[in-house]
Amino acid sequence: MKLTTIIFTSFLILSCNQNTKNNNQMGIFDKLFGKKESTEKETPKNYNQEIEKTSEMLDETIFWNIVDSSVKNTKNQDAQERFLVKEIEKLTPKQMIGFRLRTDKLLYDTYNSEMWCAGYIMNGGCSDDGFEYFRNWIISRGKDTYYKAKENPDSLISEFVEGEEYYDFESFWYVALTAFENKTGKELYDYISDDFKTNEGNYPNFEFTWKEEEPETMKAICPKLFEKMWN
């Protein structure tokens, strides 16, 4: 019985030594030829699914649900921008493109003299680019604010904030582009179909119905904004 125990113990010792030797040899082998690391690394961005060009806007209900949710769940534009990007990333690439196209359509529909008057009063002046950023800000405030302003720009008095210097949101225009690149590694602009026409390159021509040097013309369009904000 004792002899059997001694033989078995010796066998275990030899096996352990052999395993240690093999492990050491494998260590050298791994150093020479490389070993697949077990630690997790961030997967390189590689979106393999085919993306087709589109001129289809995102369903308006989905669009406004995202925007309205961003208004309710954030307290400043930086936070709202991050929220929007994360929510848009949940969409399909086609829907992401559609989010941008829907934004462009809403901008197109508010490109007029009366809205520009409101932007001019609220920001103490309003360049071409400034007018784009102003209307992006209006969209970013949600569905109700947008459609009320579209009907009557003077309704934006409800968005007046004491001490606020500017009413614009340039980054809102780019949230879909950022989300699209984050998810696909590609440029969203490359997938907008040429037949999409309601964008800044096709804005209608119009004549201004007001003049800064004639304040009464501005007051006639946006009396509440003028009284509250025009110096």
Side-chain angles (χ1 to χ4, degrees):
M1 186 68 178
K2 290 182 179 180
L3 180 60
T4 302
T5 302
I6 293 172
I7 293 173
F8 181 71
T9 302
S10 300
F11 175 77
L12 289 176
I13 294 173
L14 288 172
S15 296
C16 290
N17 289 337
Q18 185 64 36
N19 287 338
T20 300
K21 181 179 180 181
N22 289 339
N23 289 337
N24 290 336
Q25 289 174 340
M26 286 300 293
I28 295 173
F29 183 86
D30 293 337
K31 290 178 181 178
L32 291 175
F33 298 100
K35 180 181 178 182
K36 185 177 181 180
E37 297 181 3
S38 59
T39 55
E40 294 183 0
K41 286 187 174 182
E42 184 178 347
T43 304
K45 193 177 297 179
N46 186 20
Y47 193 86
N48 295 320
Q49 297 181 29
E50 184 178 356
I51 304 173
E52 296 183 355
K53 286 189 175 184
T54 184
S55 60
E56 184 178 335
M57 293 180 288
L58 180 63
D59 176 82
E60 191 168 4
T61 299
I62 297 175
F63 178 91
W64 286 121
N65 282 344
I66 293 174
V67 176
D68 288 341
S69 182
S70 73
V71 175
K72 294 177 183 177
N73 289 283
T74 61
K75 295 183 178 180
N76 57 63
Q77 285 189 2
D78 288 340
Q80 186 178 8
E81 181 182 355
R82 291 192 297 270
F83 184 97
L84 287 164
V85 169
K86 291 299 182 183
E87 290 301 306
I88 297 170
E89 284 178 357
K90 298 175 183 178
L91 303 175
T92 66
K94 182 178 181 180
Q95 289 176 315
M96 293 181 188
I97 300 168
F99 188 99
R100 170 57 190 243
L101 298 183
R102 176 65 65 184
T103 301
D104 284 347
K105 177 63 163 61
L106 295 170
L107 291 171
Y108 183 95
D109 290 344
T110 49
Y111 185 81
N112 57 61
S113 177
E114 289 71 30
M115 191 65 75
W116 206 318
C117 180
Y120 204 94
I121 294 172
M122 295 186 78
N123 288 314
C126 195
S127 65
D128 289 358
D129 287 343
F131 189 38
E132 297 288 357
Y133 308 151
F134 172 68
R135 290 174 5 261
N136 270 281
W137 167 77
I138 295 172
I139 299 169
S140 78
R141 299 315 301 157
K143 182 178 180 179
D144 287 346
T145 296
Y146 174 85
Y147 278 107
K148 287 178 181 178
K150 183 182 176 184
E151 181 69 23
N152 175 19
D154 202 34
S155 68
L156 289 170
I157 190 65
S158 65
E159 296 293 323
F160 171 79
V161 176
E162 193 69 47
E164 190 74 37
E165 188 173 1
Y166 295 110
Y167 295 83
D168 59 25
F169 196 170
E170 178 183 359
S171 297
F172 183 88
W173 214 1
Y174 309 118
V175 288
L177 277 64
T178 301
F180 189 86
E181 184 175 1
N182 288 348
K183 187 167 184 176
T184 70
K186 304 178 187 300
E187 293 288 336
L188 184 148
Y189 285 130
D190 294 337
Y191 297 93
I192 297 178
S193 179
D194 293 337
D195 62 347
F196 182 74
K197 300 300 183 182
T198 51
N199 54 28
E200 61 177 327
N202 295 290
Y203 283 154
N205 294 320
F206 66 80
E207 293 185 4
F208 283 96
T209 56
W210 54 274
K211 296 180 181 180
E212 180 186 4
E213 61 272 20
E214 299 177 12
E216 290 300 317
T217 61
M218 301 168 66
K219 184 177 181 180
I221 296 171
C222 297
K224 295 178 182 178
L225 286 173
F226 187 87
E227 183 180 352
K228 187 73 175 180
M229 305 183 70
W230 188 251
N231 295 325

